[in-house]
Amino acid sequence: MLRLPSMEKAVQLTGLTQPEIVSFVETLGEPAYRGRQLFGALQHRRQRSFDDITDLPKELRTRLNDIARAATLKVESQYLSDDGTRRYLMKTHDSLPVETVFIPEERRDTICFSSQSGCPLQCTFCLTAQLGLLRSLTAGEIVEQIQIALNDAYGTGVKPPRGTNLVAMGAGEPLLNLDQLLQALRVMADPQGMHIVPNRVTVSTAGVVPRILDLAKTSDRPHLAISLAAPTDELRNELMPINKRWPLDDLLGACKVFEKTLKPNERLTFEYVMLDGVNDSDEQARQLANLLNRYTIKSKVNLIPHNPADPLPYQPSSDERVEQFKNILESKGIHTYVRRPRGRDIFAACGQLAARQTTLTNTNLVGAN
Ligand code: SF4
């Protein structure tokens, strides 16, 4: 009978770069080209079982099964929205929930992935906050989410017909797991793997100021989005308690430093969730415009109508209110866009991810693999 090592001891190969996999196979006494073959199978063909990598000798596959893992996440359930959005509820080897959303668009696909299981921050408009932090995900677990979504959408090893954009806007605060996140991005950027370069990746933060400054110093960094949700410290303290630690002045000061690293056609993104009667008045639009204009940061604002989710005490702003808020920002020179919610019917939208499984109809639920 095959004896499998415990997950803690097995090497999780999906989180290793090509040179790291080459070193790993060399420690097994194998030539370097076997490492390149293995990397290509895992990252280019997105194969999730050593047994399927038939271009490797059987003996090596057996050894790999003994000491390493090609896949650790399991899809527990998946849901298909009327608009084509797919939502996956996965489990880690230690049974923690991970959620990923695949959003097809005309010119590209976007995959919204999680950086942590649960989240330690307590944003009051977000369902994930109610889970608390379960644990941060490993680089391999981040990479696997992308592989699973692409394999499901197109088939194992099939090249996606459109470009793939990634957004770290699922569960978790990505900048509290920055090392693993950057390792995952290095793995995915390899042209002999999935070849998703950091320029196609956006990381969204609630405002972890020291890590924003670290990211500013990172070469080949992803784009950055800041979730603001309020134009004043008073309201932001309430909606996003992280603001008590790093208030708006500190946050925008860090954004100003980050701005120096922007490429010519790059802008910093501010996300602003629109909560009916809470942060969406004309006066608050003017306060937000004045705040951003005071710092003169090369930026744009994305207005995100809130996605209602029981038991959160908020409702989305009306379309008219969102439009009026946008007009005020634009009249003060702020580039403003409204983000259309996707996958609301399967609870796949921003702030709705919290491992919920129960309230969907059978037509939305598709077979888990
Ligand atoms: S909005 Fe993001 S940072 Fe805030 S609690 Fe939710 S997952 Fe965490």
Side-chain angles (χ1 to χ4, degrees):
M1 197 176 76
L2 184 66
R3 264 190 316 110
L4 294 174
S6 70
M7 266 312 305
E8 285 71 26
K9 289 192 191 139
V11 185
Q12 204 178 345
L13 294 184
T14 41
L16 300 187
T17 61
Q18 184 166 188
E20 287 166 346
I21 290 207
V22 168
S23 303
F24 169 74
V25 300
E26 284 176 338
T27 63
L28 304 179
E30 296 285 338
Y33 77 90
R34 288 285 182 221
R36 292 193 287 274
Q37 254 180 312
L38 179 54
F39 181 84
L42 296 173
Q43 299 295 344
H44 185 68
R45 305 205 298 268
R46 304 189 300 268
Q47 284 178 307
R48 296 185 38 79
S49 161
F50 296 129
D51 296 332
D52 295 338
I53 309 177
T54 48
D55 47 340
L56 291 180
K58 189 153 190 305
E59 192 196 81
L60 177 56
R61 283 183 270 148
T62 307
R63 279 184 84 193
L64 290 173
N65 272 324
D66 277 348
I67 57 172
R69 287 288 175 276
T72 64
L73 292 183
K74 283 209 173 69
V75 178
E76 291 261 300
S77 40
Q78 58 189 80
Y79 306 90
L80 181 59
S81 165
D82 294 340
D83 67 16
T85 301
R86 294 161 188 240
R87 167 176 165 243
Y88 305 91
L89 178 53
M90 309 177 191
K91 280 265 151 73
T92 61
H93 69 89
D94 46 352
S95 292
L96 301 176
V98 175
E99 290 194 69
T100 312
V101 179
F102 175 88
I103 306 155
E105 286 164 293
E106 211 177 300
R107 301 224 186 109
R108 71 187 81 86
D109 300 317
T110 300
I111 299 174
C112 174
F113 65 93
S114 297
S115 53
Q116 298 181 307
S117 180
C119 182
L121 304 185
Q122 294 292 313
C123 306
T124 56
F125 49 83
C126 170
L127 209 53
T128 310
Q130 306 199 349
L131 293 175
L133 176 65
L134 302 171
R135 80 166 159 78
S136 287
L137 299 179
T138 62
E141 288 165 337
I142 292 172
V143 172
E144 277 191 59
Q145 293 176 64
I146 314 308
Q147 295 178 331
I148 287 170
L150 290 177
N151 284 354
D152 182 55
Y154 299 114
T156 302
V158 177
K159 188 175 185 296
R162 299 178 280 269
T164 308
N165 284 359
L166 304 182
V167 291
M169 293 185 190
E173 164 52 61
L175 295 193
L176 292 179
N177 191 20
L178 186 57
D179 290 350
Q180 293 299 306
L181 176 71
L182 292 177
Q183 169 74 3
L185 297 190
R186 280 191 290 275
V187 172
M188 292 191 283
D190 194 315
Q192 277 147 1
M194 287 193 277
H195 200 192
I196 302 172
V197 294
N199 198 30
R200 299 201 78 121
V201 183
T202 301
V203 169
S204 174
T205 179
V208 185
V209 164
R211 296 290 87 76
I212 292 173
L213 298 174
D214 287 344
L215 195 62
K217 290 185 218 136
T218 305
S219 60
D220 235 1
R221 58 155 180 77
H223 301 290
L224 184 64
I226 312 277
S227 176
L228 266 188
T232 62
D233 279 323
E234 196 188 1
L235 181 59
R236 200 164 187 269
N237 285 345
E238 231 178 81
L239 298 177
M240 302 182 75
I242 190 175
N243 195 70
K244 294 178 195 158
R245 178 92 187 266
W246 292 293
L248 284 168
D249 241 4
D250 294 0
L251 178 56
L252 289 160
C255 291
K256 198 70 199 153
V257 173
F258 193 88
E259 184 191 34
K260 295 197 185 86
T261 73
L262 294 177
K263 301 195 186 87
N265 51 6
E266 187 184 6
R267 286 180 178 275
L268 191 63
T269 304
F270 290 106
E271 311 272 358
Y272 194 94
V273 60
M274 299 284 295
L275 307 167
D276 180 41
V278 176
N279 65 356
D280 63 350
S281 70
D282 289 356
E283 173 60 14
Q284 285 160 324
R286 285 189 286 272
Q287 286 172 333
L288 179 60
N290 291 343
L291 177 74
L292 297 180
N293 283 336
R294 206 159 58 237
Y295 285 88
T296 59
I297 296 169
K298 203 174 121 203
S299 61
K300 62 174 178 176
V301 171
N302 279 345
L303 300 178
I304 308 169
H306 171 64
N307 296 295
D310 286 341
L312 302 180
Y314 302 107
Q315 289 305 314
S317 307
S318 67
D319 290 351
E320 299 74 51
R321 190 90 293 276
V322 174
E323 205 47 41
Q324 169 70 358
F325 201 91
K326 176 176 186 269
N327 290 341
I328 293 174
L329 291 180
E330 283 182 333
S331 72
K332 290 180 173 288
I334 310 279
H335 294 259
T336 310
Y337 303 85
V338 178
R339 278 234 321 255
R340 218 176 284 282
R342 297 283 303 261
R344 259 188 183 168
D345 55 333
I346 56 166
F347 301 107
C350 274
Q352 289 189 313
L353 300 185
R356 69 196 286 168
Q357 212 173 351
T358 47
T359 44
L360 296 162
T361 62
N362 286 339
T363 50
N364 288 127
L365 182 62
V366 288
N369 63 8

